Amino acid sequence: MKRISLTQHLIEQQRQHNSIPAELRLLIETVGRACKTISHAVSKGALGEVLGSAGSENVQGEVQKKLDILSNEILLEANEWGGHLAAMASEEMESIHPIPNRYPQGEYLLLFDPLDGSSNIDINVSIGTIFSVLKAPDGMTTPTEKDFMQPGRKQVAAGYAIYGPQSMLILTTGNGVHAFTLDRETGSWVLTQSNMQIPVETQEYAINASNARHWYPPVTRYINEMQAGATGPLKKNYNMRWIAAMVADVHRILTRGGIFMYPADSRDTSVPGKLRLMYEANPMALLVEQAGGLATDGKQAILDIQPTKLHQRVPVFLGSKVEVERITAYNQE
Ligand code: AFP
C-alpha cells in the first residue's frame, strides 16, 4: 500500500478543500514532530528518568509528573519559533504563553493538554497529548486570554497523539478524521486510516463507576438501564471500559464505538465535572462530531458552549449518536 505521510495528507487536503494554508500545515507538522519527541521520552520509562512526580502542582492543584512538565516544554519549544502562532495555552500553565518578541507573531492560537492521563504514566498504561487550534481574532495585536474564548466550533484543527502499543496521531481539519501511525524506523507519521466513523449504536460505555453514589439521577438511571442488560429497557447487554486517560477512551470509541461520560456530580457543585473545555472537551468533541458521533455537556453540544475561562471544566457525554442522544434526553427531562 502506498505510504502517505502527514505532510502529503495535509497538502492533499489543502488541494481538495482549501482548508489548510501553509501556516496551518506548518503548525500541524510541528505539533506532530513534538508528539514524536514526547512518544520517544514516554517509551523510555524508568530508563529515561522521566517517571514519578516533579514535586510541584499545576494550576488545577494537581501533582505534576515529570513527563507533564517535559511534554509541556517540548510543545512550547517546538512551536514558538515558527512564526505561525500568536500564543499558546496549556493545562500545565496558569496563563497564556505569548510568542516571545524575538520571533514573528502568526495568526493561530494553540491549546494543549501536553500529557493527558498522567496517572497512567507510572503504571505503563496509554497516555496522550491533546491539541486544539483556533485562529486569532482579526485585528488582534497583543494576545490575551480573551482571544482564546471562542466556542469549539471555531476550531480550525484538533487532534491527539496516543502513546500506547502503537503511537498514533489522530487529526481533523474539518474534513473527516484521519489516523497516522508512527513508523519508528523512519520517524514518520504514516496515514493508516482515513475518515474514521463512530458506529451509531454501541454496547460499550465508559464511566468512572466508583463515583456512582455522587451521580445525579439521570446518570444513575442510564447506567442502571445499561446494567439491566438484555432483559432491561435497553434490551441489550453492555460492556464497560475505563482507561482513565480520555485520549485512550476516545480512541477506542473512534475505533469501535461506545459512549464516554465524565458527568458533573454532587461532590462539588461549584465544579461541573473534571474535564476541561478548551483543551480536552472541545478538541475531542470536534473529532467525535467529524466522525459521525455526538458530544454534549448533558444539555447542549459542547462545541456551541461560549467559554468564559481558560481552564473551565465541563461535563462530557460523547460517542455513539444513539446513546449520547439518550443520556442527553434524560438530562433534559
Ligand atoms: P490525569 O491526567 O490526572 O490522570 O486525569 C486524566 C483525566 O483528565 C482524563 O484523561 C480521564 O478521562 C479522567 O481524568 C480520569 O479521571 P478519574 O481519575 O477520576 O477516573
Side-chain angles (χ1 to χ4, degrees), residues 62 68 91 113 115-120 208 211 242 244-247 249 260 262 267 274-276 280:
E62 293 162 342
D68 281 328
E91 180 197 52
D113 177 359
L115 208 69
D116 174 66
S118 310
S119 52
N120 284 350
N208 182 339
N211 299 323
W242 186 252
M246 187 184 196
V247 165
D249 283 313
F260 169 93
Y262 211 112
R267 277 179 288 178
K274 176 179 182 184
L275 301 177
R276 291 83 169 185
E280 288 178 332

Side-chain angles (χ1 to χ4, degrees), residues 43-314:
S43 66
K44 284 188 170 180
L47 299 177
E49 282 136 37
V50 293
L51 301 184
S53 295
S56 53
E57 282 192 353
N58 65 10
V59 60
Q60 331 283 347
E62 293 162 342
V63 170
Q64 287 179 305
K65 304 282 189 180
K66 289 177 191 163
L67 263 176
D68 281 328
I69 294 174
L70 176 63
S71 304
N72 196 59
E73 284 162 5
I74 289 168
L75 281 157
L76 292 179
E77 284 161 25
N79 281 287
E80 61 183 9
W81 50 268
H84 50 279
L85 284 179
M88 290 181 257
S90 164
E91 180 197 52
E92 300 303 328
M93 301 187 300
E94 169 106 30
S95 48
I96 67 165
H97 180 90
I99 295 304
N101 293 332
R102 64 182 179 280
Y103 298 123
Q105 179 172 297
E107 58 178 5
Y108 292 103
L109 304 174
L110 176 64
L111 303 96
F112 45 82
D113 177 359
L115 208 69
D116 174 66
S118 310
S119 52
N120 284 350
I121 294 172
D122 297 349
I123 57 169
N124 195 12
V125 171
S126 296
I127 46 186
T129 299
I130 309 173
F131 63 92
S132 168
V133 183
L134 295 167
K135 278 204 70 176
D138 292 339
M140 182 199 76
T141 48
T142 307
T144 66
E145 185 171 311
K146 199 167 51 2
D147 298 309
F148 284 78
M149 297 297 99
Q150 303 178 37
R153 227 169 272 291
K154 295 268 192 185
Q155 294 172 98
V156 293
Y160 61 82
I162 177 168
Y163 313 117
Q166 308 103 42
S167 279
M168 291 185 75
L169 182 71
I170 310 300
L171 171 72
T172 185
T173 54
N175 297 287
V177 177
H178 309 288
F180 301 81
T181 301
L182 180 59
D183 176 344
R184 293 189 189 281
E185 286 159 356
T186 61
S188 308
W189 291 111
V190 179
L191 181 70
T192 45
Q193 191 171 354
S194 296
N195 289 314
M196 296 181 89
Q197 286 296 310
I198 300 176
V200 168
E201 303 265 0
T202 185
Q203 285 90 351
E204 199 159 60
Y205 68 95
I207 194 166
N208 182 339
S210 70
N211 299 323
R213 64 189 180 285
H214 306 301
W215 292 338
Y216 293 124
V219 173
T220 304
R221 170 187 172 191
Y222 180 46
I223 302 299
N224 288 343
E225 288 181 354
M226 288 191 285
Q227 291 178 344
T231 57
L234 303 186
K235 298 184 176 35
K236 57 183 170 180
N237 296 324
Y238 285 74
N239 190 22
M240 202 208 88
R241 288 282 183 276
W242 186 252
I243 307 176
M246 187 184 196
V247 165
D249 283 313
V250 170
H251 190 70
R252 185 189 59 255
I253 288 168
L254 282 169
T255 306
R256 70 185 190 208
I259 179 167
F260 169 93
M261 294 165 274
Y262 211 112
D265 64 39
S266 59
R267 277 179 288 178
D268 180 349
T269 51
S270 69
V271 175
K274 176 179 182 184
L275 301 177
R276 291 83 169 185
L277 174 64
M278 296 306 294
Y279 39 79
E280 288 178 332
N282 269 342
M284 293 311 201
L286 185 63
L287 288 165
V288 164
E289 285 203 6
Q290 282 285 317
L294 288 179
T296 77
D297 65 354
K299 300 267 195 297
Q300 64 173 316
I302 283 173
L303 294 178
D304 293 335
I305 296 172
Q306 174 55 51
T308 54
K309 287 246 177 301
L310 189 60
H311 298 293
Q312 76 185 68
R313 298 174 194 262
V314 66

